[in-house]
């Protein structure tokens, strides 16, 4: 079968959930047996979101091949179980960089280099790059931003051109918003009409409209939208708010989104998608009665998306343990010795979050000391693991000034230090230790038991590492380095055996956790938290 290209654009406002709709469509097509990938084109000038802080852009996701990517790629992987790569996330910055490099090499043979055709050709080349590998039946391309933004114009123009070139191998889905005006008790379709008109002005007629709404949209209203927007009435789909994003594929299937896409791209609709494993997850979610309460200690607690993959991994692990997840965000800057007990005592488990820089670090140490002394299941991720090491050095090894050279370059006890390969680097973008690396686990460790194997591979994003000069001292005092990289000896996992569950990972296990393949370490952490909860708060 020829590769089919599906484009997903957004209108009216941002944050409508194009990523969830794209992921849900991919999920349904995969359940029908097709080979699918999802990619995102972001209209900003940064080469990648690696240099953006979480206030700008939420979490930075990392692919196995070491690309710092938009957090929507996390949704794609969680919904499809298929790994993404650098090719799945392209920015305006990457497009321009590549065109300018070609110009400098003389590839344009004396021509004036312009947005049309040179930038649009480069965009189109990138849109088709994954499809041209022959590995996919469907390539779903999400265009970031909102139609009408100056920045997304070259992308939209490229979609217009591709539509012509691809003919029936192409389908355009436009996601808009239908606001509910409470005072008038009415849903309003005008913003959708305007947004579709804007798309039509640049030469794109959407095939399918997906309407985000808080209230049910009547058949009558859908007919009206169809009429005004040149779309078939059955191709006007509503996407109403649901309690969990993982229900969206089912909602889309009920309204035949997958079937519409198949028909539009001339693919025979033969059978129904096999949603059994997905429905099994949703059933568990619905059946869970009891709650597991996890505290996440970090400095971006006011940002919904800053720890997206951790939240989702915890939710998946709780669901597979037949529990509802109650996630309590604990602002690390506000944790002090005189309030730590009150903040942590009702929890079943604690996550110490990843991060960069000094802000909020002291609260992480206070929390960690409490966790260690109260023997509550504790999971440190990346900076969280490094904090476990520093806190242990200060409190147990008696090295009061122990630190990471990230926070104190002059520390006499650099238990966490800049990696050797990092010392000569000056550029910040894309230069961390990034992507999946192998790790060998001690067979007796909590981690090895959780994974059910001693050989694993997980994704990284860091510049600093455990300083192996201190390894013996730590191990003697009870903190073991139970996971190391087989080729460099770099410490990847630390644990305190004898504790209920006290594990720190230099890598980010949250990036590899998907709905159908939850990460084993999260599953085990939640299991330990449930057990602890039963022991310590038996009345609840
Ligand atoms: N700042 C730490 C480092 O660079 C940890 C990074 C992280 O938590 N992702 O090593």
């Amino acid at each position: 079968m020829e590769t089919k290209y599906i484009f997903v654009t957004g209108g009216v406002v941002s944050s409508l959930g194009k990523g969830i709709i794209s992921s849900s469509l991919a999920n349904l097509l995969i359940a029908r047996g097709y080979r699918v990938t999802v990619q995102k084109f972001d209209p900003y000038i940064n080469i990648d979101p690696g240099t953006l802080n979480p206030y700008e852009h939420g979490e930075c996701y990392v692919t196995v091949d070491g690309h710092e990517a938009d957090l929507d790629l996390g949704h794609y992987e969680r919904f499809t179980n298929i790994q993404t790569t650098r090719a799945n996330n392209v920015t305006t910055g990457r497009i321009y960089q590549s065109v300018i490099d070609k110009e400098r090499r003389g590839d344009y043979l004396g021509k004036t280099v312009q947005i049309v055709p040179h930038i649009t050709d480069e965009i189109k080349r990138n849109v088709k790059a994954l499809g041209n590998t022959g590995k996919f039946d469907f390539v779903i391309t999400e265009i970031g931003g909102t139609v009408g933004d100056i920045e997304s114009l070259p992308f939209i123009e490229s979609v217009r051109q591709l539509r012509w070139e691809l003919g029936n191998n192409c389908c355009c889905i436009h996601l808009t918003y239908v606001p509910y005006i409470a005072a008038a008790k009415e849903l309003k379709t005008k913003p959708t009409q305007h947004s579709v008109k804007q798309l039509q002005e640049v030469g794109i007629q959407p095939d399918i409209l997906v309407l985000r709404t808080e209230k049910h949209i009547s058949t009558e209203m859908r007919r009206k939208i169809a009429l005004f927007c040149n779309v078939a009435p059955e191709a006007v789909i509503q996407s109403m708010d649901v309690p969990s994003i993982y229900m969206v594929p089912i909602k889309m299937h009920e309204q035949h989104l997958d079937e519409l896409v198949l028909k539009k791209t001339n693919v025979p609709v033969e059978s129904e998608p096999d949603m059994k494993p997905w429905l099994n997850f949703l059933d568990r979610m619905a059946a869970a009665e009891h709650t597991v309460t996890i505290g996440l200690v970090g400095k971006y607690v006011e940002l919904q998306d800053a720890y997206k993959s951790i939240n989702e991994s915890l939710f998946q692990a709780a669901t597979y343990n037949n529990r509802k997840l109650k996630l309590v965000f604990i602002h690390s800057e506000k944790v002090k010795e005189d309030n730590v007990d009150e903040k942590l005592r009702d929890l079943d488990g604690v996550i110490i979050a990843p991060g960069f820089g000094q802000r909020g670090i002291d609260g992480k140490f206070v929390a960690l000391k409490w966790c260690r002394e109260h023997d509550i299941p504790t999971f440190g991720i990346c900076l969280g693991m490094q904090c476990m090491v520093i806190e242990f050095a200060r409190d147990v090894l008696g090295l009061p000034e122990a630190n990471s050279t990230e926070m104190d370059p002059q520390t006499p006890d650099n238990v966490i230090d800049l990696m050797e390969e990092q010392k000569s680097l000056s550029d910040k973008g894309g230069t961390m230790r990034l992507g999946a690396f192998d790790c060998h686990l001690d067979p007796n460790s909590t981690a090895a038991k959780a994974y059910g194997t001693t050989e694993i591979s997980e994704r990284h994003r860091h510049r600093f590492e455990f300083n192996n000069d201190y390894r013996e001292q730590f191990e003697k005092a009870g903190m073991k380095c139970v996971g190391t990289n087989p080729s460099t000896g770099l410490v990847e996992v630390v644990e305190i055996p004898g504790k209920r569950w006290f594990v720190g990972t230099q890598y980010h296990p949250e990036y590899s956790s998907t709905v159908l393949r939850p990460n084993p370490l999260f599953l085990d952490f939640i299991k330990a938290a449930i057990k602890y909860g039963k022991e310590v708060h038996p009345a609840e």
Side-chain angles (χ1 to χ4, degrees):
M1 150 175 165
E2 275 181 293
T3 305
K4 312 289 180 183
Y5 290 87
I6 317 301
F7 295 97
V8 180
T9 55
V12 184
V13 286
S14 59
S15 305
L16 288 178
K18 285 194 298 272
I20 303 295
I21 295 297
S22 305
S23 305
S24 298
L25 175 61
N27 175 296
L28 293 169
L29 292 171
I30 289 168
R32 285 177 176 273
Y34 297 106
R35 302 167 307 158
V36 185
T37 189
V38 195
Q39 58 189 7
K40 176 151 193 205
F41 284 67
D42 274 312
Y44 51 73
I45 312 286
N46 304 60
I47 297 290
D48 59 48
T51 51
L52 293 173
N53 81 38
Y55 289 101
E56 293 280 320
H57 203 263
E59 168 188 277
C60 178
Y61 189 73
V62 179
T63 58
V64 270
D65 64 341
H67 182 62
E68 295 176 288
D70 186 80
L71 59 79
D72 272 329
L73 271 75
H75 291 309
Y76 305 163
E77 293 203 12
R78 289 187 283 272
F79 276 70
T80 65
N81 229 355
I82 292 172
Q83 287 178 342
T84 53
T85 63
R86 176 176 303 274
N88 291 76
N89 191 194
V90 178
T91 65
T92 293
R94 280 247 309 273
I95 298 287
Y96 272 80
Q97 190 177 51
S98 156
V99 168
I100 290 167
D101 285 349
K102 283 184 191 165
E103 186 275 336
R104 290 289 82 182
R105 280 203 306 266
D107 290 2
Y108 294 112
L109 305 174
K111 288 266 183 233
T112 305
V113 181
Q114 296 178 297
I115 292 185
V116 182
H118 302 100
I119 294 293
T120 49
D121 278 353
E122 185 64 20
I123 294 173
K124 289 191 312 189
R125 194 179 67 74
N126 277 278
V127 167
K128 288 184 174 170
L130 282 170
N132 286 342
T133 61
K135 288 191 198 148
F136 302 105
D137 302 317
F138 286 91
V139 175
I140 300 173
T141 305
E142 177 188 345
I143 308 289
T146 311
V147 170
D149 295 347
I150 292 178
E151 310 208 314
S152 59
L153 270 175
F155 291 100
I156 302 290
E157 165 62 13
S158 305
V159 175
R160 185 193 68 78
Q161 294 179 20
L162 281 166
R163 234 181 124 76
W164 272 103
E165 290 167 28
L166 294 165
N168 284 333
N169 291 330
C170 176
C171 172
C172 289
I173 302 174
H174 188 55
L175 181 66
T176 75
Y177 182 52
V178 178
Y180 179 74
I181 310 294
K185 294 201 176 58
E186 258 183 85
L187 284 165
K188 291 292 182 190
T189 66
K190 192 72 84 189
T192 296
Q193 295 177 38
H194 279 301
S195 158
V196 172
K197 206 162 268 167
Q198 215 161 11
L199 207 50
Q200 289 165 339
E201 271 167 24
V202 288
I204 298 176
Q205 170 60 53
D207 301 299
I208 299 170
L209 295 179
V210 178
L211 314 172
R212 266 308 293 276
T213 171
E214 284 141 47
K215 304 258 179 218
H216 176 71
I217 302 175
S218 67
T219 316
E220 199 39 51
M221 192 167 263
R222 286 193 218 190
R223 255 198 222 117
K224 178 176 155 193
I225 294 171
L227 182 69
F228 276 113
C229 299
N230 273 348
V231 176
E234 65 275 15
V236 179
I237 289 178
Q238 73 171 8
S239 172
M240 219 158 75
D241 293 354
V242 278
S244 161
I245 51 171
Y246 299 122
M247 291 158 81
V248 177
I250 306 297
K251 294 286 162 205
M252 291 299 107
H253 179 60
E254 281 168 9
Q255 298 172 83
H256 314 290
L257 176 65
D258 44 336
E259 212 178 302
L260 284 163
V261 167
L262 293 177
K263 283 189 181 146
K264 197 70 221 169
T265 52
N266 272 354
V267 181
V269 184
E270 276 152 3
S271 55
E272 281 290 294
D274 173 12
M275 298 300 285
K276 260 188 243 101
W278 196 264
L279 286 169
N280 168 35
F281 178 81
L282 295 184
D283 287 347
R284 276 172 184 270
M285 202 170 87
E289 274 178 35
H290 300 289
T291 300
V292 59
T293 308
I294 304 296
L296 188 144
V297 183
K299 65 178 166 183
Y300 298 117
V301 291
E302 69 283 32
L303 298 176
Q304 251 201 25
D305 283 345
Y307 305 110
K308 192 82 200 162
S309 295
I310 294 180
N311 303 354
E312 297 306 317
S313 304
L314 287 169
F315 178 74
Q316 292 155 4
T319 303
Y320 280 106
N321 277 290
N322 304 312
R323 286 289 189 285
K324 287 196 214 329
L325 173 71
K326 182 174 172 202
L327 191 54
V328 182
F329 291 100
I330 298 164
H331 199 315
S332 51
E333 279 183 294
K334 299 198 175 133
V335 183
K336 309 273 181 223
E337 263 155 42
D338 59 4
N339 64 17
V340 62
D341 189 67
E342 180 199 328
K343 285 189 188 291
L344 304 187
R345 70 179 167 221
D346 294 332
L347 304 171
D348 300 325
V350 177
I351 296 252
I352 310 291
F356 295 83
Q358 173 66 33
R359 184 166 75 86
I361 213 89
D362 291 328
K364 286 186 174 172
F365 296 140
V366 174
L368 273 166
K369 185 170 157 66
W370 190 96
C371 291
R372 201 166 44 76
E373 291 179 349
H374 289 77
D375 197 6
I376 180 173
T378 310
F379 194 174
I381 300 177
C382 206
L383 180 64
M385 169 268 196
Q386 297 177 352
C387 288
M388 279 180 162
V389 168
I390 297 166
E391 192 279 326
F392 192 87
R394 290 182 184 177
D395 207 58
V396 182
L397 302 186
L399 307 171
E401 289 175 76
N403 215 331
S404 163
T405 46
E406 179 181 3
M407 319 306 162
D408 177 9
Q410 310 308 331
T411 171
D413 288 300
N414 53 343
V415 290
I416 302 292
D417 201 4
L418 192 62
M419 279 181 276
E420 205 45 50
E421 72 215 41
Q422 290 284 330
K423 291 186 177 157
S424 56
L425 299 175
S426 55
D427 277 5
K428 289 276 182 278
T431 57
M432 281 188 247
R433 179 172 180 249
L434 290 166
F437 291 93
D438 290 340
C439 169
H440 171 75
L441 297 169
D442 177 340
N444 296 318
S445 61
T446 302
K449 286 180 194 143
Y451 282 100
T453 171
T454 55
E455 308 309 317
I456 58 160
S457 171
E458 293 277 16
R459 303 178 209 182
H460 299 67
R461 183 174 187 244
H462 65 121
R463 290 186 205 283
F464 295 81
E465 63 172 327
F466 179 88
N467 183 346
N468 266 314
D469 293 347
Y470 287 86
R471 184 166 176 164
E472 226 184 283
Q473 234 175 309
F474 274 89
E475 299 214 321
K476 261 198 202 130
M479 183 176 267
K480 305 275 185 215
C481 302
V482 298
T484 44
N485 179 282
S487 45
T488 58
L490 203 145
V491 172
E492 304 282 25
V493 188
V494 298
E495 289 182 10
I496 305 184
K499 293 273 173 219
R500 285 190 174 91
W501 206 99
F502 199 92
V503 180
T505 61
Q506 182 59 75
Y507 57 78
H508 292 259
E510 70 272 23
Y511 293 144
S512 66
S513 195
T514 72
V515 167
L516 297 184
R517 212 178 296 139
N519 183 282
L521 213 46
F522 277 94
L523 286 174
D524 203 56
F525 167 64
I526 292 289
K527 205 160 135 198
I530 294 169
K531 189 157 172 257
Y532 168 83
K534 281 189 191 155
E535 278 168 39
V536 179
H537 323 291
E540 290 158 34

